[in-house]
């Protein structure tokens, strides 16, 4: 069970930097999706992926849906993880464009580097959001007003003065240190 205190950094919610990053990734996802839906032929031509226009447009629809999910949900964590999965799919699709005699392999390499950079941001954001609970954590109990003396310290002085140590708590006679009985210094005259 986790507790949070006044000193807990995030107090059960994502910090503002991570929240801002998630919103930025949501906006980026929508913008990229719009480009992919609006201009799949231009992208396919730039990447040497002719015949893949439908796939690019489909990826654009996925990006728009993910971006809307990130911006509209209270907890964007699953949507950011969805972006990570989509990035993996994008990288796998771009890797197929590196095969054969594609004259646009340079563009594909640049696109793969860009996707890898965004993937790193997505993973960082998703992990940071996953570490935090969407629900506030229970506060840590405060015992600072307790002293261990329910009646006060003054009343505890001498409270055990009439306590007699039970016989079984005492050291047995055989284990006690040997002491000589004290003899009087000046013998007393006997009567």
């Amino acid at each position: 069970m986790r507790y949070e205190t006044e000193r807990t950094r995030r107090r059960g919610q994502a910090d503002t930097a991570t929240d801002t990053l998630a919103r930025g990734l949501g906006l980026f996802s929508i913008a990229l999706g719009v480009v992919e839906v609006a201009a799949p032929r231009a992208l396919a031509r730039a990447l040497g992926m002719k015949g893949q226009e439908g796939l690019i447009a489909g990826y654009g629809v996925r990006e728009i849906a993910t971006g809307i999910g990130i911006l509209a949900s209270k907890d964007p964590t699953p949507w950011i993880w969805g972006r990570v999965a989509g990035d993996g799919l994008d990288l796998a699709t771009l890797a197929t464009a590196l095969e054969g005699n594609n004259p646009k392999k340079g563009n594909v390499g640049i696109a793969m580097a860009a996707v890898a950079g965004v993937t790193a941001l997505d993973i960082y954001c998703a992990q940071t959001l996953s570490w935090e609970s969407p629900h506030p954590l229970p506060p840590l109990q405060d015992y600072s007003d307790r002293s261990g003396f329910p009646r006060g310290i003054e009343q505890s002085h001498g409270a055990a003065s009439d306590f007699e140590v039970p016989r079984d708590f005492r050291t047995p006679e055989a284990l006690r240190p040997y002491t000589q009985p004290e003899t009087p210094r000046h013998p007393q005259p006997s009567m």
Side-chain angles (χ1 to χ4, degrees):
M1 173 178 267
R2 295 180 353 176
Y3 291 99
E4 65 182 22
T5 65
E6 293 296 324
R7 300 173 73 185
T8 303
R9 192 169 144 229
R10 300 210 174 126
R11 307 221 6 108
Q13 302 293 329
D15 65 342
T16 55
T18 306
D19 192 44
T20 302
L21 177 61
R23 290 180 193 277
L25 289 171
L27 291 172
F28 173 75
S29 187
I30 291 173
L32 179 62
V34 167
V35 170
E36 288 176 336
V37 168
R41 286 187 186 163
L43 287 172
R45 200 172 339 139
L47 297 172
M49 298 176 66
K50 288 186 179 179
Q52 302 290 325
E53 292 85 2
L55 183 64
I56 291 172
Y59 285 2
V61 172
R62 182 200 74 214
E63 290 282 351
I64 292 170
T66 305
I68 291 172
I70 291 169
L71 296 176
S73 67
K74 286 184 178 180
D75 182 15
T77 307
W79 295 99
I80 298 291
W81 281 116
R83 271 196 53 81
V84 172
D87 292 341
L89 189 61
D90 291 345
L91 286 171
T93 303
L94 287 170
T96 62
L98 292 174
E99 298 174 350
N101 295 329
N102 185 356
K104 306 289 185 179
K105 286 183 180 178
N107 291 344
V108 173
I110 292 169
M112 289 183 76
V115 171
V118 173
T119 302
L121 278 176
D122 287 339
I123 290 172
Y124 170 76
C125 184
Q127 283 182 336
T128 304
L129 289 172
S130 295
W131 290 332
E132 299 304 321
S133 169
H135 308 290
L137 300 174
L140 189 63
Q141 295 297 319
D142 182 17
Y143 298 110
S144 63
D145 60 336
R146 295 186 182 182
S147 67
F149 301 100
R151 290 187 221 147
I153 294 175
E154 293 301 322
Q155 288 195 5
S156 67
H157 291 285
S161 62
D162 58 342
F163 179 74
E164 288 189 34
V165 178
R167 185 164 181 79
D168 57 338
F169 282 17
R170 296 182 189 157
T171 305
E173 286 295 327
L175 297 178
R176 289 189 182 179
Y178 177 76
T179 56
Q180 291 283 339
E182 283 192 31
T183 57
R185 291 186 174 185
H186 303 287
Q188 299 288 327
S190 60
M191 295 192 174

